[in-house]
Amino acid sequence: MPRLKALTTSGAAGRQLLEDTLAALAVDGYARSGVSEGGDWSALISAGRTGSLFDEKRVTVVEGAELLGPFPDALEPFLEEEGAAEVILLVYESAPTKLFSPETRRKVGFLRAGTTSLAPWERKGWIMTLAKGMNVRLSDDGAAFLAEMLDDPGELRSEVDKLGRYAAGEVVTGDMVKNLSFDEGKSRMLSFLDAFCTGRAEEIFSCLEHLKKDDSILPLVTALYNRIRPALYLGLFPDRGGDWVRLVLQIKEYPLKMSREALRHYSARALSDLASGLISLSWKEKTSSAEGWFGFEALLARCMESGESK
């Protein structure tokens, strides 16, 4: 039985929503089986029920879904919820909710550009699918927090992208989401990391003064370690090249680019010492030997001193 998703796709943002939805479904193993325009509800639902148990997962796009008219209540029992082998994407120019009865709406996923009309219990799953399509490892609690606080697909897409760049291949946790997306430091962290990698001392310490308002140094320690980790591999295995590092660490081009920048401004030995120091500092913060911001700044200063001597 098919799963229906109704997309309101007017304007450029709407078409982007369609492409993103198709991309996310492809990641989940759905193959595009065709595009139609308008048609008949009975024939459409019947086509979604004809596959065998061994068929691959399919997604069909129906453009001009307004031509189908109101959804017949008699067909509601033949609809399936998430996980169906057949997904039918209904493309509407305007919000189609009035074309479905209240009972049927519970089985239909509604999406529109600029906002999401998914029911709250469906929103987290949509975000997880979005993250998977963007190759971002988003934790369950991270997705739940985003679902609770945001409902704009464009804003969600931007946040998931930023969080993915920050995590640099690691899992995006709920704490990361809280620290980066919903307080004044949401962009300050990324600004600090980029400033460090490109050797902009004034910006480094400007950002650091704001970040020091946080009682814990652990989020920044983790972020900086993740950011310079590809540089360690580039320094240790210079003959392997960036493609090998990207494959081994499962990272995107941006953190690799920033790691190359870091190696231009600091020696490989200094970055290795900084990484070791960050690991040690993280352990100490979880014991009675905590050094706090003083210890972090000392590590930072030693590494930056190596940059001045290059």
Side-chain angles (χ1 to χ4, degrees):
M1 294 188 291
R3 162 69 167 165
L4 297 185
K5 290 182 180 288
L7 283 64
T8 305
T9 60
S10 58
R15 303 312 295 184
Q16 183 62 51
L17 175 62
L18 174 60
E19 291 304 315
D20 289 344
T21 304
L22 285 167
L25 287 168
V27 170
D28 281 340
Y30 285 87
R32 296 177 67 166
S33 63
V35 178
S36 62
E37 185 170 355
D40 174 76
W41 278 118
S42 295
L44 186 65
I45 300 302
S46 177
R49 298 170 57 205
T50 56
S52 74
L53 293 174
F54 304 101
D55 279 346
E56 64 179 353
K57 295 194 287 188
R58 303 168 299 173
V59 55
T60 300
V61 177
V62 180
E63 298 278 3
E66 290 91 347
L67 299 174
L68 288 165
F71 184 84
D73 290 342
L75 296 178
E76 183 268 335
F78 300 109
L79 300 183
E80 193 168 335
E81 299 188 20
E82 292 295 342
E86 170 83 8
V87 173
I88 299 174
L89 295 183
L90 304 165
V91 180
Y92 291 90
E93 282 295 319
S94 57
T97 35
K98 292 182 179 179
L99 298 174
F100 298 87
S101 69
E103 293 76 17
T104 302
R105 283 178 212 153
R106 288 195 287 266
K107 287 190 174 182
V108 179
F110 292 94
L111 293 171
R112 62 181 300 169
T115 186
T116 176
S117 299
L118 284 172
W121 58 86
E122 289 189 308
R123 193 175 299 150
K124 188 178 77 171
W126 184 85
I127 294 169
M128 291 290 282
T129 301
L130 173 70
K132 187 185 295 185
M134 297 173 70
N135 199 29
V136 174
R137 299 171 62 196
L138 181 62
S139 69
D140 187 79
D141 60 336
F145 200 78
L146 284 170
E148 182 181 358
M149 301 298 292
L150 296 173
D151 65 357
D152 184 295
E155 193 172 352
L156 280 167
R157 191 175 296 107
S158 175
E159 288 300 321
V160 170
D161 179 61
K162 285 193 299 183
L163 290 163
R165 288 191 286 121
Y166 159 66
E170 298 298 318
V171 175
V172 176
T173 66
D175 286 340
M176 290 181 191
V177 173
K178 293 177 185 177
N179 290 332
L180 286 173
S181 296
F182 305 113
D183 60 28
E184 65 177 6
K186 70 177 183 178
S187 61
R188 194 80 63 180
M189 181 84 78
L190 288 173
S191 296
F192 170 83
L193 297 175
D194 286 351
F196 173 78
C197 289
T198 52
R200 303 194 301 270
E202 184 176 345
E203 188 175 347
I204 289 171
F205 288 104
S206 174
C207 291
L208 191 59
E209 286 304 307
H210 290 275
L211 293 168
K212 284 165 65 176
K213 295 176 183 178
D214 194 331
D215 292 336
S216 174
I217 66 169
L218 287 176
L220 189 57
V221 168
T222 302
L224 184 56
Y225 177 80
N226 284 339
R227 179 54 65 91
I228 66 172
R229 189 170 171 233
L232 304 181
Y233 280 72
L234 288 171
L236 288 170
F237 307 101
D239 297 333
R240 295 297 188 99
D243 289 340
W244 178 79
V245 173
R246 186 166 52 241
L247 178 64
V248 168
L249 298 183
Q250 291 295 295
I251 59 174
K252 296 183 178 180
E253 181 60 34
Y254 189 78
L256 187 63
K257 174 185 175 182
M258 286 294 103
S259 285
R260 288 192 178 107
E261 283 292 317
L263 284 168
R264 289 181 57 240
H265 291 87
Y266 315 103
S267 69
R269 176 61 183 271
L271 289 173
S272 178
D273 289 344
L274 175 60
S276 298
L278 291 171
I279 293 172
S280 175
L281 190 60
S282 177
W283 181 82
K284 290 177 181 178
E285 286 299 306
K286 299 170 184 176
T287 68
S288 58
S289 306
E291 297 179 6
W293 287 104
F294 176 80
F296 181 82
E297 288 187 73
L299 286 173
L300 202 63
R302 285 197 290 271
C303 185
M304 292 177 67
E305 187 178 11
S306 83
E308 294 176 358
S309 63
K310 282 194 73 175

